[in-house]
Amino acid sequence: TVAALLGDAELVPITTSGDRDRAGGDKERWVKELERALLAGDVDLAVHSAKDVPSELPDGLELVGAPPREEPFDALVGAPSLLELRAGARVGTASLRRTAQLRALRDDRDVVAIRGNVDTRLLRLRDGDVDALVLAAAGLRRLGREAAIGCLLTELVPAAGQGTLVLEARAGDERAH
């Protein structure tokens, strides 16, 4: 559990603009509030999905570590394979990269934008809003939702950094390092 990993550390939940505003945008919307908290000294470390970290960090911050990479591939949830999805099936994803690749593989499916955290998306699948979802396999595993994976979509090219967590800290903060 997270508590066991943290030991005497305190977990500080921070809601990002990416969490609040589901509209598209750049990667900064997933990290800027965490980076502000780091720079203000409110937190000592921020944990990010590497795929969400912009290529340029704010002055005074640096990436200080990464645990071993998880599975980098996307996963199909709600069906055992892409081939078994009927023509016209509604496949939900929030990713332009996934949308383009899914349409290139088979254009007779309806790829629809679906946003929200993993639990919200799984509820939308359960409620019949979509026939299947495409989510990062690593995220599903880290959240204990591995049983939801119908198959790994090895035919899709994963996002750069997908499956990798990174730790960000203030530059020169030896305690955090």
Side-chain angles (χ1 to χ4, degrees):
T1 69
V2 172
L5 294 173
L6 290 174
D8 65 349
E10 176 188 358
L11 180 63
V12 179
I14 296 176
T15 302
T16 68
S17 54
D19 296 317
R20 287 187 303 273
D21 179 11
R22 303 292 182 203
D26 63 15
K27 292 179 176 191
E28 180 187 55
R29 66 195 174 105
W30 297 108
V31 300
K32 68 182 173 185
E33 286 86 355
L34 294 124
E35 290 176 334
R36 283 185 194 140
L38 279 168
L39 290 167
D42 297 334
V43 298
D44 298 311
L45 284 171
V47 180
H48 305 293
S49 174
K51 70 179 180 57
D52 295 332
V53 176
S55 58
E56 291 188 34
L57 299 177
D59 288 341
L61 297 180
E62 61 188 0
L63 300 180
V64 296
R69 185 179 193 187
E70 283 282 342
E71 181 67 59
F73 293 107
D74 293 310
L76 184 66
V77 177
S81 73
L82 285 175
L83 292 175
E84 294 190 38
L85 283 172
R86 63 175 170 72
R90 293 175 48 86
V91 180
T93 181
S95 164
L96 292 174
R97 172 190 57 83
R98 291 173 180 143
T99 298
Q101 291 185 69
L102 288 166
R103 288 181 176 154
L105 286 171
R106 194 170 141 193
D107 65 0
D108 65 341
R109 284 169 277 180
D110 185 15
V111 182
V112 298
I114 186 169
R115 301 199 183 275
N117 63 34
V118 170
D119 288 331
T120 298
R121 293 182 201 197
L122 291 172
L123 284 172
R124 301 242 350 242
L125 173 66
R126 187 198 71 196
D127 292 345
D129 294 342
V130 292
D131 300 300
L133 296 168
V134 178
L135 298 166
L140 289 164
R141 287 193 173 110
R142 286 186 182 115
L143 293 171
R145 309 288 193 281
E146 186 170 2
I149 297 173
C151 71
L152 293 179
L153 296 172
T154 57
E155 59 268 57
L156 299 187
V157 177
Q162 186 162 305
T164 302
L165 295 177
V166 293
L167 304 174
E168 186 176 23
R170 288 177 297 280
D173 184 338
E174 292 304 316
R175 184 174 156 265
H177 289 217

